[in-house]
Amino acid sequence: MQQHSAHLNGIFHALADPTRRSVLGRLGKGPASISELAMPFDMALPSFMKHIHLLEDNGLIRTRKLGRVRTCAIEKKSFALLDAWLSEQRALWEGRTDRLEQFVITAHAKDKSK
Amino acid sequence: MQQHSAHLNGIFHALADPTRRSVLGRLGKGPASISELAMPFDMALPSFMKHIHLLEDNGLIRTRKLGRVRTCAIEKKSFALLDAWLSEQRALWEGRTDRLEQFVITAHAKDKSK
């Protein structure tokens, strides 16, 4: 659970940056090399690589070096953790609505039986 | 679009912290006062308030002061932006799968017609 929470911290932190979200958007269309990914950004390569490392360290992408070219690909599994968290939140809200609904129904029934 | 992206930065940044996610989890069950929310955390009130302000500034919760008590409630609308972003990503992957599938079907058809 602790580990799960630490992973979520990392994922959310990685997603809190427009460059990193843009890279994920590009990789959503298919794998790409670092130079291809860096092209749209007016950024020095070392700065861009920090973004790539952060995405990789948090499991949102995987990279593989073939000869001189490093290729990146999206890691969909990490998004499942995000989905799970969102579903958990929604379940809380819905449980709450259900309880409210139950309360209204019970109150209404009691009112009618008077 | 720029504004939308800035809002996403803020939302993801707000979610990258276990205390803030825990507060959202609690508020998912229903509104609560600041002191009620702060109780499970071994944290000075000013530090806790920074988390509350960050959640409020990024539109994830709303707060309202009635007399001496400030009550917080979850703001579900902000989660819709998160959902929209995730759906966008998924649409990219699926578009890609569709194109791959189309390629396989076309290749198969060509193969059969030989």
Side-chain angles (χ1 to χ4, degrees):
Chain A
M1 198 64 192
Q2 207 63 20
Q3 207 176 359
H4 178 96
S5 177
H7 195 181
L8 270 179
N9 293 349
I11 290 177
F12 282 126
H13 173 61
L15 296 178
D17 178 276
T19 301
R20 294 194 287 268
R21 287 200 305 277
S22 180
V23 166
L24 290 175
R26 168 59 193 86
L27 292 178
K29 295 177 195 162
S33 69
I34 298 281
S35 54
E36 207 179 329
L37 287 173
M39 218 175 293
F41 303 101
D42 186 20
M43 200 181 285
L45 192 62
S47 304
F48 186 73
M49 286 310 290
K50 280 187 194 164
H51 289 302
I52 294 294
H53 290 316
L54 212 141
L55 286 170
E56 191 176 17
D57 292 346
N58 288 296
L60 286 160
I61 66 169
R62 55 180 188 280
T63 78
R64 197 177 165 194
K65 200 162 186 179
L66 274 172
R68 292 173 63 88
V69 178
R70 183 171 292 277
T71 303
C72 305
I74 206 145
E75 192 69 89
K76 294 183 196 176
K77 272 182 293 181
S78 291
F79 289 83
L81 207 61
L82 209 65
D83 273 332
W85 184 80
L86 268 172
S87 304
E88 232 172 77
Q89 302 307 304
R90 215 161 273 123
L92 288 173
W93 309 344
E94 280 158 17
R96 183 181 145 197
T97 315
D98 288 350
R99 283 194 300 275
L100 182 65
E101 204 174 325
Q102 199 51 51
F103 172 79
V104 172
I105 291 167
T106 312
H108 185 70
K110 275 188 186 164
D111 208 45
K112 274 189 121 177
S113 70
K114 271 181 192 166
Chain B
M1 199 60 193
Q2 206 65 20
Q3 207 176 358
H4 177 96
S5 178
H7 194 180
L8 270 179
N9 295 348
I11 289 177
F12 282 126
H13 172 61
L15 296 178
D17 178 276
T19 300
R20 293 193 289 267
R21 286 200 305 277
S22 180
V23 166
L24 290 176
R26 167 59 193 85
L27 291 178
K29 295 176 196 163
S33 69
I34 297 281
S35 54
E36 207 180 327
L37 287 173
M39 218 175 293
F41 303 101
D42 186 21
M43 201 181 284
L45 192 63
S47 304
F48 186 73
M49 286 309 291
K50 278 188 196 165
H51 289 301
I52 294 294
H53 290 316
L54 213 140
L55 287 170
E56 190 175 18
D57 292 348
N58 288 297
L60 286 160
I61 65 169
R62 56 179 187 281
T63 78
R64 198 178 164 194
K65 201 164 185 176
L66 275 171
R68 291 172 64 88
V69 177
R70 183 170 292 279
T71 303
C72 307
I74 206 144
E75 192 67 271
K76 295 185 195 173
K77 273 182 292 182
S78 290
F79 289 82
L81 207 62
L82 209 66
D83 272 331
W85 184 80
L86 268 172
S87 303
E88 231 172 77
Q89 301 307 302
R90 214 160 275 124
L92 289 172
W93 308 344
E94 280 158 16
R96 184 181 145 198
T97 315
D98 288 351
R99 285 193 300 274
L100 181 65
E101 201 176 326
Q102 200 51 51
F103 173 79
V104 172
I105 292 167
T106 313
H108 185 71
K110 273 187 187 164
D111 208 46
K112 274 191 121 177
S113 70
K114 267 178 193 168

